[in-house]
Amino acid sequence: MNRYSKITAAFIAGLFFTTLATTTSAQSKINQDSIAQKMGWFEDAKLGIFIHYGIYAVNDVSESWSFHNKQVTWPAYMSQLSGFTASKYDPTAWANLFKEAGARYTVITTKHHDGVALWDTKEKHYDVIRNTPAKKDLIDPLVNALRKNDIKVGAYFSLIDWSHPDYPGFLKDSSRYKVADDPLRWKRFQGFFQNQLTELSTKFNPDLWWFDGDWEHSAEEWESSKVRTNLLAKNPGTIINGRLQGYGDYETPEQNFPVVRPSFRWWELCMTTNNNWGYRKSDTNWKTPYEIISIFVDAVSNGGNLLLDIGPKEDGTIPNEQVNILKELGKWNRKHGESIFGTIGGIPQGHFYGPTTLSKDSTTLYLFLHGKTSGPVMVKGLDNKIKSVEVLGNGTKLTSKVVGKISWSPVPGLIYINVPATTLDTYITVLKVKLDKPIKLYRGKGGLG
Ligand code: GLC
């Protein structure tokens, strides 16, 4: 169950009598109820902004991996510390932009695998206050600006710390030591990262924790159970992503769009806006606003969230292409938000050749038209009467036609909705279909059976 929450998995499978070592079956049931409750805002949020901000923005190299994979030496990588200024850092402008995009939460790298902390850590290791010309805590003012804008605060924290002298892993194919050979040294590292987590949790009280790098060690080695218990003791409502060796609340399929609807209840697709998480001058392979919006819609229609990544430059400015993507996404969200935020995933593919969502009471079906689809669009197996169809955000009422319905047969007809080209959105058009009652789908064989 790599990167998969045993807790969530057990819930989905209905296996309340989980064998999870630390819980009895009764406790596990209670946990599931409280998990479902605390996931409420996350379920409705749909859009988060992921921020990879760090010294790797200085020299056009990939975050942490560039030295780990030996593309640059570790000293060369760390020399970026002296070029990291955050001189134009404006967290209020960031928060305003995220708000404008329609994001309900953000996740910022408090520390990536390179070990450089962006907050004022008391631990003697690398941080941007003491080791860079930025000389300031970058997390604190952002948290304040986000909370002022009602945007939930997520803390990305890399468990891996390739720069720490007590961390076993370092460069690809080489490690400093093995945990089994020097348990005391590993204990020191555990003390270090647990202290950093306590600092972050006390100082910022994140609404969400986004762990990364759990794959290098086991749940026992990461003390995952203790990490979870401590964070929840501080904030029982905090949400933990699924990269804690089985102790998280939701799944994070990275860069990978699920082809069929995932079976896990809560999930979030994290996705870059070009081909890198952090800023790289040389990476100009930007996704278009249309591509981003279609990925977003697909995630939501499949019951998930999108955590869309941006990589600010070392001075704290966000590249123009990313600003543009966020603004266009925001424009689209303002027009079509009703079909996205607070909805639930749509109907199985095959009923409609495109993404769909439903209102929570499932009496309204939203159909998303990819590309420039116009003319008659078809819905199959819908055992409801249609009260009205309108082009969302545009108000145009459309007519629908039922084809092939025999009055005495239980088989519903095919529905055709005629969409004039003049009503199409620049990116993705949404049809709002109001039904007579909660949606009922027909998936039978036809005839009287
Ligand atoms: C990965 C990478 C990392 C990136 C993250 C984002 O696991 O290690 O560089 O921060 O995914 O999801």
Side-chain angles (χ1 to χ4, degrees), residues 217-239:
H217 292 277
S218 65
E220 289 68 33
E221 286 168 346
W222 290 127
E223 302 182 302
S224 300
S225 168
K226 179 175 162 187
V227 168
R228 184 176 174 92
T229 308
N230 287 350
L231 300 181
L232 290 176
K234 169 76 181 133
N235 177 358
T238 199
I239 292 173

PDB file of all heavy atoms in Angstrom, residues 217-239:
ATOM      1  N   HIS A 217      11.788   5.397   3.699  1.00  0.00           N
ATOM      2  CA  HIS A 217      11.821   4.647   4.968  1.00  0.00           C
ATOM      3  C   HIS A 217      10.434   4.095   5.301  1.00  0.00           C
ATOM      4  O   HIS A 217       9.438   4.490   4.714  1.00  0.00           O
ATOM      5  CB  HIS A 217      12.331   5.542   6.112  1.00  0.00           C
ATOM      6  CG  HIS A 217      13.777   5.905   5.946  1.00  0.00           C
ATOM      7  ND1 HIS A 217      14.795   5.077   6.341  1.00  0.00           N
ATOM      8  CD2 HIS A 217      14.365   6.995   5.386  1.00  0.00           C
ATOM      9  CE1 HIS A 217      15.958   5.634   6.034  1.00  0.00           C
ATOM     10  NE2 HIS A 217      15.728   6.802   5.439  1.00  0.00           N
ATOM     11  N   SER A 218      10.424   3.208   6.289  1.00  0.00           N
ATOM     12  CA  SER A 218       9.160   2.551   6.670  1.00  0.00           C
ATOM     13  C   SER A 218       8.362   3.433   7.630  1.00  0.00           C
ATOM     14  O   SER A 218       8.878   4.414   8.172  1.00  0.00           O
ATOM     15  CB  SER A 218       9.479   1.235   7.370  1.00  0.00           C
ATOM     16  OG  SER A 218      10.161   1.520   8.587  1.00  0.00           O
ATOM     17  N   ALA A 219       7.123   3.027   7.874  1.00  0.00           N
ATOM     18  CA  ALA A 219       6.266   3.751   8.819  1.00  0.00           C
ATOM     19  C   ALA A 219       6.913   3.780  10.209  1.00  0.00           C
ATOM     20  O   ALA A 219       6.857   4.787  10.909  1.00  0.00           O
ATOM     21  CB  ALA A 219       4.898   3.080   8.893  1.00  0.00           C
ATOM     22  N   GLU A 220       7.543   2.685  10.580  1.00  0.00           N
ATOM     23  CA  GLU A 220       8.199   2.624  11.894  1.00  0.00           C
ATOM     24  C   GLU A 220       9.346   3.638  11.935  1.00  0.00           C
ATOM     25  O   GLU A 220       9.512   4.371  12.889  1.00  0.00           O
ATOM     26  CB  GLU A 220       8.761   1.219  12.174  1.00  0.00           C
ATOM     27  CG  GLU A 220       7.705   0.148  12.434  1.00  0.00           C
ATOM     28  CD  GLU A 220       6.855  -0.183  11.202  1.00  0.00           C
ATOM     29  OE1 GLU A 220       7.381  -0.119  10.055  1.00  0.00           O
ATOM     30  OE2 GLU A 220       5.648  -0.473  11.366  1.00  0.00           O
ATOM     31  N   GLU A 221      10.146   3.641  10.877  1.00  0.00           N
ATOM     32  CA  GLU A 221      11.298   4.553  10.870  1.00  0.00           C
ATOM     33  C   GLU A 221      10.862   6.025  10.875  1.00  0.00           C
ATOM     34  O   GLU A 221      11.470   6.863  11.517  1.00  0.00           O
ATOM     35  CB  GLU A 221      12.210   4.242   9.674  1.00  0.00           C
ATOM     36  CG  GLU A 221      12.999   2.957   9.916  1.00  0.00           C
ATOM     37  CD  GLU A 221      13.704   2.417   8.672  1.00  0.00           C
ATOM     38  OE1 GLU A 221      13.398   2.850   7.541  1.00  0.00           O
ATOM     39  OE2 GLU A 221      14.552   1.540   8.836  1.00  0.00           O
ATOM     40  N   TRP A 222       9.790   6.322  10.152  1.00  0.00           N
ATOM     41  CA  TRP A 222       9.308   7.715  10.148  1.00  0.00           C
ATOM     42  C   TRP A 222       8.490   8.033  11.393  1.00  0.00           C
ATOM     43  O   TRP A 222       8.058   9.174  11.558  1.00  0.00           O
ATOM     44  CB  TRP A 222       8.433   8.000   8.920  1.00  0.00           C
ATOM     45  CG  TRP A 222       9.135   8.052   7.601  1.00  0.00           C
ATOM     46  CD1 TRP A 222       8.810   7.359   6.477  1.00  0.00           C
ATOM     47  CD2 TRP A 222      10.273   8.861   7.247  1.00  0.00           C
ATOM     48  NE1 TRP A 222       9.670   7.678   5.457  1.00  0.00           N
ATOM     49  CE2 TRP A 222      10.580   8.598   5.897  1.00  0.00           C
ATOM     50  CE3 TRP A 222      11.072   9.787   7.945  1.00  0.00           C
ATOM     51  CZ2 TRP A 222      11.640   9.215   5.215  1.00  0.00           C
ATOM     52  CZ3 TRP A 222      12.141  10.397   7.277  1.00  0.00           C
ATOM     53  CH2 TRP A 222      12.404  10.108   5.933  1.00  0.00           C
ATOM     54  N   GLU A 223       8.231   7.028  12.227  1.00  0.00           N
ATOM     55  CA  GLU A 223       7.343   7.205  13.387  1.00  0.00           C
ATOM     56  C   GLU A 223       6.012   7.811  12.927  1.00  0.00           C
ATOM     57  O   GLU A 223       5.486   8.747  13.532  1.00  0.00           O
ATOM     58  CB  GLU A 223       7.991   8.114  14.438  1.00  0.00           C
ATOM     59  CG  GLU A 223       9.327   7.594  14.942  1.00  0.00           C
ATOM     60  CD  GLU A 223       9.930   8.490  16.025  1.00  0.00           C
ATOM     61  OE1 GLU A 223      10.152   9.691  15.749  1.00  0.00           O
ATOM     62  OE2 GLU A 223      10.145   7.989  17.130  1.00  0.00           O
ATOM     63  N   SER A 224       5.492   7.241  11.843  1.00  0.00           N
ATOM     64  CA  SER A 224       4.286   7.805  11.223  1.00  0.00           C
ATOM     65  C   SER A 224       3.109   7.895  12.189  1.00  0.00           C
ATOM     66  O   SER A 224       2.365   8.874  12.186  1.00  0.00           O
ATOM     67  CB  SER A 224       3.864   6.941  10.038  1.00  0.00           C
ATOM     68  OG  SER A 224       4.877   6.903   9.085  1.00  0.00           O
ATOM     69  N   SER A 225       2.964   6.859  13.009  1.00  0.00           N
ATOM     70  CA  SER A 225       1.848   6.846  13.948  1.00  0.00           C
ATOM     71  C   SER A 225       1.981   8.011  14.933  1.00  0.00           C
ATOM     72  O   SER A 225       1.019   8.734  15.203  1.00  0.00           O
ATOM     73  CB  SER A 225       1.839   5.502  14.668  1.00  0.00           C
ATOM     74  OG  SER A 225       0.975   5.564  15.738  1.00  0.00           O
ATOM     75  N   LYS A 226       3.211   8.209  15.430  1.00  0.00           N
ATOM     76  CA  LYS A 226       3.452   9.311  16.372  1.00  0.00           C
ATOM     77  C   LYS A 226       3.257  10.668  15.683  1.00  0.00           C
ATOM     78  O   LYS A 226       2.664  11.589  16.254  1.00  0.00           O
ATOM     79  CB  LYS A 226       4.886   9.190  16.911  1.00  0.00           C
ATOM     80  CG  LYS A 226       5.299  10.268  17.874  1.00  0.00           C
ATOM     81  CD  LYS A 226       6.700   9.959  18.425  1.00  0.00           C
ATOM     82  CE  LYS A 226       7.323  11.216  19.033  1.00  0.00           C
ATOM     83  NZ  LYS A 226       8.725  10.975  19.421  1.00  0.00           N
ATOM     84  N   VAL A 227       3.730  10.773  14.454  1.00  0.00           N
ATOM     85  CA  VAL A 227       3.567  12.029  13.715  1.00  0.00           C
ATOM     86  C   VAL A 227       2.083  12.366  13.608  1.00  0.00           C
ATOM     87  O   VAL A 227       1.641  13.465  13.940  1.00  0.00           O
ATOM     88  CB  VAL A 227       4.188  11.928  12.290  1.00  0.00           C
ATOM     89  CG1 VAL A 227       3.769  13.100  11.418  1.00  0.00           C
ATOM     90  CG2 VAL A 227       5.711  11.850  12.371  1.00  0.00           C
ATOM     91  N   ARG A 228       1.305  11.378  13.197  1.00  0.00           N
ATOM     92  CA  ARG A 228      -0.133  11.597  13.029  1.00  0.00           C
ATOM     93  C   ARG A 228      -0.786  11.974  14.360  1.00  0.00           C
ATOM     94  O   ARG A 228      -1.551  12.936  14.433  1.00  0.00           O
ATOM     95  CB  ARG A 228      -0.777  10.338  12.443  1.00  0.00           C
ATOM     96  CG  ARG A 228      -2.264  10.512  12.148  1.00  0.00           C
ATOM     97  CD  ARG A 228      -2.903   9.301  11.474  1.00  0.00           C
ATOM     98  NE  ARG A 228      -4.339   9.542  11.385  1.00  0.00           N
ATOM     99  CZ  ARG A 228      -4.938  10.097  10.345  1.00  0.00           C
ATOM    100  NH1 ARG A 228      -4.258  10.421   9.285  1.00  0.00           N
ATOM    101  NH2 ARG A 228      -6.249  10.309  10.370  1.00  0.00           N
ATOM    102  N   THR A 229      -0.461  11.206  15.399  1.00  0.00           N
ATOM    103  CA  THR A 229      -1.062  11.459  16.714  1.00  0.00           C
ATOM    104  C   THR A 229      -0.722  12.871  17.194  1.00  0.00           C
ATOM    105  O   THR A 229      -1.596  13.604  17.664  1.00  0.00           O
ATOM    106  CB  THR A 229      -0.544  10.424  17.738  1.00  0.00           C
ATOM    107  OG1 THR A 229      -0.745   9.138  17.175  1.00  0.00           O
ATOM    108  CG2 THR A 229      -1.254  10.529  19.064  1.00  0.00           C
ATOM    109  N   ASN A 230       0.539  13.259  17.074  1.00  0.00           N
ATOM    110  CA  ASN A 230       0.941  14.591  17.553  1.00  0.00           C
ATOM    111  C   ASN A 230       0.246  15.714  16.783  1.00  0.00           C
ATOM    112  O   ASN A 230      -0.209  16.688  17.367  1.00  0.00           O
ATOM    113  CB  ASN A 230       2.461  14.787  17.410  1.00  0.00           C
ATOM    114  CG  ASN A 230       3.222  13.977  18.432  1.00  0.00           C
ATOM    115  OD1 ASN A 230       2.619  13.415  19.366  1.00  0.00           O
ATOM    116  ND2 ASN A 230       4.526  13.884  18.273  1.00  0.00           N
ATOM    117  N   LEU A 231       0.179  15.560  15.458  1.00  0.00           N
ATOM    118  CA  LEU A 231      -0.429  16.634  14.663  1.00  0.00           C
ATOM    119  C   LEU A 231      -1.918  16.752  14.957  1.00  0.00           C
ATOM    120  O   LEU A 231      -2.463  17.853  15.050  1.00  0.00           O
ATOM    121  CB  LEU A 231      -0.201  16.420  13.167  1.00  0.00           C
ATOM    122  CG  LEU A 231       1.265  16.381  12.711  1.00  0.00           C
ATOM    123  CD1 LEU A 231       1.362  16.184  11.210  1.00  0.00           C
ATOM    124  CD2 LEU A 231       2.001  17.659  13.130  1.00  0.00           C
ATOM    125  N   LEU A 232      -2.557  15.606  15.141  1.00  0.00           N
ATOM    126  CA  LEU A 232      -3.995  15.643  15.427  1.00  0.00           C
ATOM    127  C   LEU A 232      -4.274  16.114  16.854  1.00  0.00           C
ATOM    128  O   LEU A 232      -5.310  16.712  17.121  1.00  0.00           O
ATOM    129  CB  LEU A 232      -4.636  14.275  15.188  1.00  0.00           C
ATOM    130  CG  LEU A 232      -4.730  13.864  13.712  1.00  0.00           C
ATOM    131  CD1 LEU A 232      -5.296  12.463  13.572  1.00  0.00           C
ATOM    132  CD2 LEU A 232      -5.594  14.845  12.919  1.00  0.00           C
ATOM    133  N   ALA A 233      -3.313  15.861  17.754  1.00  0.00           N
ATOM    134  CA  ALA A 233      -3.501  16.335  19.132  1.00  0.00           C
ATOM    135  C   ALA A 233      -3.510  17.858  19.136  1.00  0.00           C
ATOM    136  O   ALA A 233      -4.279  18.496  19.847  1.00  0.00           O
ATOM    137  CB  ALA A 233      -2.388  15.807  20.022  1.00  0.00           C
ATOM    138  N   LYS A 234      -2.669  18.436  18.296  1.00  0.00           N
ATOM    139  CA  LYS A 234      -2.599  19.900  18.216  1.00  0.00           C
ATOM    140  C   LYS A 234      -3.828  20.455  17.489  1.00  0.00           C
ATOM    141  O   LYS A 234      -4.382  21.475  17.867  1.00  0.00           O
ATOM    142  CB  LYS A 234      -1.305  20.281  17.474  1.00  0.00           C
ATOM    143  CG  LYS A 234      -1.185  21.701  17.079  1.00  0.00           C
ATOM    144  CD  LYS A 234      -0.833  22.589  18.273  1.00  0.00           C
ATOM    145  CE  LYS A 234      -0.756  24.043  17.832  1.00  0.00           C
ATOM    146  NZ  LYS A 234      -1.469  24.940  18.712  1.00  0.00           N
ATOM    147  N   ASN A 235      -4.231  19.783  16.417  1.00  0.00           N
ATOM    148  CA  ASN A 235      -5.374  20.256  15.627  1.00  0.00           C
ATOM    149  C   ASN A 235      -6.152  19.047  15.102  1.00  0.00           C
ATOM    150  O   ASN A 235      -5.814  18.501  14.054  1.00  0.00           O
ATOM    151  CB  ASN A 235      -4.856  21.131  14.472  1.00  0.00           C
ATOM    152  CG  ASN A 235      -5.973  21.594  13.562  1.00  0.00           C
ATOM    153  OD1 ASN A 235      -7.140  21.250  13.746  1.00  0.00           O
ATOM    154  ND2 ASN A 235      -5.607  22.364  12.548  1.00  0.00           N
ATOM    155  N   PRO A 236      -7.206  18.652  15.812  1.00  0.00           N
ATOM    156  CA  PRO A 236      -7.938  17.439  15.438  1.00  0.00           C
ATOM    157  C   PRO A 236      -8.540  17.515  14.033  1.00  0.00           C
ATOM    158  O   PRO A 236      -8.835  16.495  13.425  1.00  0.00           O
ATOM    159  CB  PRO A 236      -9.063  17.350  16.480  1.00  0.00           C
ATOM    160  CG  PRO A 236      -8.682  18.295  17.569  1.00  0.00           C
ATOM    161  CD  PRO A 236      -7.752  19.314  16.995  1.00  0.00           C
ATOM    162  N   GLY A 237      -8.685  18.730  13.522  1.00  0.00           N
ATOM    163  CA  GLY A 237      -9.297  18.885  12.199  1.00  0.00           C
ATOM    164  C   GLY A 237      -8.279  18.860  11.071  1.00  0.00           C
ATOM    165  O   GLY A 237      -8.649  18.918   9.899  1.00  0.00           O
ATOM    166  N   THR A 238      -7.003  18.785  11.399  1.00  0.00           N
ATOM    167  CA  THR A 238      -6.019  18.896  10.318  1.00  0.00           C
ATOM    168  C   THR A 238      -6.060  17.659   9.417  1.00  0.00           C
ATOM    169  O   THR A 238      -6.319  16.546   9.884  1.00  0.00           O
ATOM    170  CB  THR A 238      -4.593  19.165  10.871  1.00  0.00           C
ATOM    171  OG1 THR A 238      -3.798  19.705   9.812  1.00  0.00           O
ATOM    172  CG2 THR A 238      -3.932  17.900  11.395  1.00  0.00           C
ATOM    173  N   ILE A 239      -5.812  17.882   8.136  1.00  0.00           N
ATOM    174  CA  ILE A 239      -5.870  16.804   7.143  1.00  0.00           C
ATOM    175  C   ILE A 239      -4.441  16.421   6.766  1.00  0.00           C
ATOM    176  O   ILE A 239      -3.578  17.286   6.639  1.00  0.00           O
ATOM    177  CB  ILE A 239      -6.662  17.290   5.905  1.00  0.00           C
ATOM    178  CG1 ILE A 239      -8.145  17.480   6.293  1.00  0.00           C
ATOM    179  CG2 ILE A 239      -6.517  16.329   4.736  1.00  0.00           C
ATOM    180  CD1 ILE A 239      -8.997  18.103   5.207  1.00  0.00           C
TER     181      ILE A 239
END
